[in-house]
Amino acid sequence: RPVPNPTISNLSAEALTEYIIRHARFFGARKVTVYTLRSDIDIDELPVELLRRRKPLGSPSTESTTFLRDLHRLKQIELLWNWTLGTTPSHGYDQVLLLRDDAFWADSVHLRMFPDPWTAYSRQFGFLCARSPADGPDDKGLVLGGQIAGEMLTLYSAFYHNPSPLLDDMDSLEHFIFLVAQAKSIRWEMVRKDWLPYFTAQHMLHPKWSRPKICLRGITQERLENPTDVCVHPGKIPYPFCEDLPLL
């Protein structure tokens, strides 16, 4: 069963901040700033008129746990961006990399591959090493050009206040993000999956294990060794795949 990361699950906000800064500097970051929420946040009341026309991010209803989680995530992203504006360098940002918190990098990212400050970049939906099941973008990792980052990081406000009918008929959170770019005339480019070489990761606990183990989601060792799409070298993968772990 999935469990929290045992390394950080019981850390205080101060200890977690120190942990992140220490690791970021170890891996070469010159400047590190951590934004932590000291209390839970609530989403704003959904106007009745909005609910009549706008689908709930692909979920079956506005009471859905998935919808509420996704809307909270969008609000957290926007709060982080608004806070970040106070620390923006005088020349602005060249790129902004938006990652989901369960992303695990299997290789390096070369930001020179994302040169246009007016473009949003992502992988195609699906997992590294496996053929994509759909044509849309993957939302777990986005590279946003510095000139359009603010337009793409205010998705929470866009859901509530952007009147474009394009945003009324989305089938998923990923689709909504893509439609926001279309509504704002922002260019979107799909790149090779190995340009953004991440998997999603989680910790699992089995009754026979003394401690949780980290594993990577989405594919299996067999698919890694016999990929159906662009991949990374198997030697770069230090952890097992969740689908290969023993069942209860």
Side-chain angles (χ1 to χ4, degrees):
R1 62 185 175 88
V3 295
N5 182 343
T7 303
I8 63 174
S9 59
N10 293 317
L11 294 182
S12 65
E14 292 76 14
L16 178 61
T17 297
E18 190 277 332
Y19 176 89
I20 293 171
I21 292 174
R22 176 159 43 87
H23 280 72
R25 286 177 173 163
F26 175 81
F27 287 105
R30 291 193 295 268
K31 181 180 179 181
V32 187
T33 306
V34 180
Y35 173 61
T36 56
L37 291 170
R38 298 295 174 156
S39 60
D40 292 336
I41 61 169
D42 294 320
I43 60 172
D44 296 276
E45 183 177 353
L46 293 161
V48 174
E49 189 277 331
L50 180 70
L51 296 178
R52 289 197 187 104
R53 59 184 176 83
R54 185 150 294 176
K55 290 186 177 179
L57 300 174
S59 296
S61 77
T62 56
E63 304 299 321
S64 161
T65 300
T66 300
F67 169 70
L68 296 174
R69 181 198 64 203
D70 287 343
L71 204 56
H72 271 91
R73 178 186 167 204
L74 295 185
K75 186 168 186 176
Q76 290 172 330
I77 290 171
E78 189 162 331
L79 287 172
L80 174 61
W81 173 248
N82 291 340
W83 176 81
T84 302
L85 293 177
T87 63
T88 303
S90 58
H91 61 275
Y93 293 112
D94 298 319
Q95 297 109 340
V96 175
L97 179 58
L98 177 66
L99 287 178
R100 216 169 73 173
D101 58 4
D102 58 354
F104 172 84
W105 291 110
D107 207 344
S108 298
V109 178
H110 301 285
L111 290 177
R112 67 177 182 276
M113 307 300 290
F114 310 94
D116 188 355
W118 298 95
T119 295
Y121 300 89
S122 78
R123 291 181 355 188
Q124 192 173 357
F125 181 80
F127 296 103
L128 191 64
C129 309
R131 186 178 296 111
S132 293
D135 294 332
D138 195 285
D139 72 330
K140 301 177 190 68
L142 305 177
V143 180
L144 305 172
Q147 295 295 326
I148 54 89
E151 294 295 322
M152 290 303 303
L153 292 172
T154 50
L155 297 165
Y156 181 79
S157 292
F159 182 81
Y160 279 84
H161 303 300
N162 190 313
S164 173
L166 278 175
L167 307 184
D168 293 342
D169 194 24
M170 85 292 290
D171 57 24
S172 65
L173 177 61
E174 295 91 345
H175 191 203
F176 172 72
I177 295 172
F178 184 63
L179 291 175
V180 168
Q182 288 190 328
K184 296 185 175 185
S185 300
I186 293 171
R187 181 174 176 267
W188 194 294
E189 183 176 334
M190 304 279 192
V191 301
R192 289 171 52 108
K193 289 180 181 177
D194 55 353
W195 287 14
L196 291 168
Y198 56 78
F199 290 98
T200 53
Q202 67 184 28
H203 285 78
M204 299 287 286
L205 182 61
H206 190 279
K208 296 182 179 181
W209 300 344
S210 60
R211 285 180 55 81
K213 296 181 181 180
I214 188 172
C215 60
L216 306 180
R217 299 174 57 198
I219 66 169
T220 61
Q221 185 68 26
E222 191 280 331
R223 177 59 63 227
L224 177 69
E225 296 172 357
N226 299 280
T228 54
D229 203 341
V230 291
C231 199
V232 294
H233 191 279
K236 293 182 178 292
I237 306 301
Y239 301 115
F241 290 96
C242 303
E243 283 78 0
D244 292 329
L245 294 178
L247 299 175
L248 292 176

